[in-house]
Amino acid sequence: MTSEITLLVNPTAGRGRGADAAPPAAAALRDAGFSVRTVLGTDAADALKRARDAVADGTGALVAVGGDGMVSLALQALAGTPTPLGVVAVGTGNDFARSLGLPVREPAAAGRLTAGLLKGTGGRDIDLGRVGDRWFGTVLASGFDSRVNDRGNRMRLPAGRFKYDLAIVAELASFRPVPYRLTFDDGTEHRIDATLVAVGNGTSYGGGMRICAEARIDDGLLDVTVVGDCSRTTLIKVFPQVYRGTHLDHPKVTVHRVRTITLDAPDITAYADGEPLGPLPLTAECVPGALRVLAP
């Protein structure tokens, strides 16, 4: 393995924390004897091209410095390759890092952990979800949660997490359950009016909302959390439980474990790792051991 490590940096992540996080993370890697090269793209497409070039050139690891959006971009360059992913999590949500027990908003600690694993075990293999040629590490969202994303993305103000809190309130006022058709890999088909359907490779989205609380990132399966036809009153009561994962005990919530799932519902856009995938229908699959990650 080459001793050169590539930092893939989003300088705007976490309201500028990405730019501040790169130097201490790089210093920790250099102190451990690694050569560090920093990559910043002019936009997402340019950053992805530079990441893929670094992997093709044989970088010893690609370290994503930013939030889940930067991790998502790194996955597109790394999935299916032997090059490991390191994460310096300094974004708003950081759900991928949380799912792996990595330091959050501690760039120097993340850099030291990454260096130690590169010199030691070399990390471990985990599963990824895939929709067509798009890879995801945490959760695919559809329904109420994806409509909150749609609305939040249309709002210019306020900035940060508060924008999405307001989007939740606005969606609650108008949302109705959606008719879904879910087809699992064993051929069974489920037709249900649902508030949301979340497909989890990892446990959480939205900065710690444990929608797929029992998902394991290395079991070869996706956890499908279906929240049925809740009234607004029920949804308001149940939604706070998502942060603890206790919503899974509610009678309106069911969980399935599958290798693949096809989701179909009218007028629903799917998001994965917080990034838009496109409208339903779509098919998601679990790809076991698709990523080498620098995590304990």
Side-chain angles (χ1 to χ4, degrees):
M1 180 189 72
T2 177
S3 63
E4 182 181 84
I5 307 302
T6 302
L7 292 191
L8 182 64
V9 180
N10 178 2
T12 65
R15 298 186 183 182
R17 284 191 296 267
D20 294 337
L29 287 161
R30 289 189 179 105
D31 287 346
F34 293 98
S35 172
V36 178
R37 182 166 67 98
T38 300
V39 169
L40 295 87
T42 56
D43 54 25
D46 182 56
L48 178 55
K49 180 184 182 303
R50 291 170 183 265
R52 284 176 168 156
D53 288 347
V55 173
D57 290 342
T59 188
L62 186 68
V63 180
V65 182
D68 288 323
M70 184 54 74
V71 170
S72 176
L73 191 149
L75 296 183
Q76 313 315 310
L78 289 171
T81 79
T83 305
L85 170 69
V87 179
V88 177
V90 291
T92 302
N94 306 307
D95 287 289
F96 187 81
R98 294 175 198 274
S99 70
L100 292 167
L102 294 171
V104 172
R105 296 177 187 164
E106 299 179 68
R112 289 192 296 270
L113 177 63
T114 298
L117 288 164
L118 282 168
K119 288 191 164 187
T121 64
R124 61 190 179 100
D125 294 332
I126 64 168
D127 308 334
L128 292 177
R130 182 169 63 189
V131 175
D133 61 357
R134 285 281 301 279
W135 299 87
F136 67 94
T138 57
V139 175
L140 183 158
S142 74
F144 175 76
D145 42 9
S146 64
R147 285 188 169 172
V148 167
N149 254 323
D150 285 341
R151 185 180 290 269
N153 289 342
R154 293 193 300 268
M155 296 167 61
R156 293 186 177 181
L157 295 173
R161 290 281 300 276
F162 189 51
K163 175 170 68 175
Y164 290 93
D165 292 339
L166 289 181
I168 288 172
V169 173
E171 276 301 315
L172 280 170
S174 60
F175 188 82
R176 298 290 184 276
V178 176
Y180 274 87
R181 182 175 64 184
L182 308 176
T183 307
F184 299 156
D185 51 86
D186 63 2
T188 59
E189 185 177 287
H190 299 258
R191 293 178 181 264
I192 182 173
D193 288 343
T195 302
L196 66 85
V197 178
V199 181
N201 181 57
T203 56
S204 69
Y205 61 6
M209 298 170 64
R210 302 181 69 239
I211 189 68
C212 298
E214 296 178 352
R216 289 177 52 191
I217 209 162
D218 58 1
D219 65 353
L221 297 171
L222 300 169
D223 274 35
V224 181
T225 300
V226 180
V227 179
D229 56 344
C230 290
S231 66
R232 284 193 292 272
T233 301
T234 300
L235 187 57
I236 289 168
K237 289 180 180 178
V238 171
F239 207 72
Q241 298 177 23
V242 174
Y243 288 96
R244 300 187 300 275
T246 55
H247 64 291
L248 298 184
D249 297 327
H250 194 278
K252 288 289 186 180
V253 178
T254 56
V255 176
H256 310 268
R257 289 191 173 89
V258 300
R259 290 182 177 84
T260 66
I261 178 173
T262 299
L263 303 94
D264 195 2
D267 304 318
I268 295 294
T269 298
Y271 287 74
D273 293 339
E275 303 296 315
L277 281 176
L280 302 186
L282 56 75
T283 298
E285 64 174 321
C286 180
V287 182
L291 180 71
R292 187 74 172 171
V293 67
L294 295 168

